[in-house]
Amino acid sequence: AQQAARPAAAPQGRVQVQFGALRSEDAARAEWDRLSRRVPELAGRAPAITRFDRPEGQAPLWRLRTGGFADAAAARAFCEAA
């Protein structure tokens, strides 16, 4: 089987891929560490961890994403390769 080419990061790309929404910033960082060890396609990419405030009465979440994709097609190709 031929391995698909890994989509290159586009420095000005604005499209992101989300890996999860976790209960704490520390959990999001730990998940990035875990994923970056298991998924070679993450090499050279940086995590984007942002707080997401949910409706009153619900604890906030931290979104774990990485970006730099030129368009949605490049983001989909990345997800399929990973």
Side-chain angles (χ1 to χ4, degrees), residues 16-81:
Q16 295 185 328
V17 171
Q18 181 167 313
F19 297 105
L22 296 107
R23 294 183 185 255
S24 72
E25 186 174 355
D26 287 340
R29 290 190 188 289
E31 180 66 0
W32 176 261
D33 290 344
R34 184 186 76 80
L35 288 171
S36 62
R37 285 191 304 272
R38 294 185 60 189
V39 181
E41 291 80 10
L42 291 176
R45 295 192 178 268
I49 299 172
T50 56
R51 182 182 168 124
F52 172 68
D53 290 316
R54 300 190 302 163
E56 189 173 328
Q58 296 183 42
L61 295 174
W62 279 259
R63 291 177 172 155
L64 173 59
R65 299 175 174 172
T66 194
F69 298 96
D71 53 31
R76 273 191 302 278
F78 173 83
C79 290
E80 290 170 2

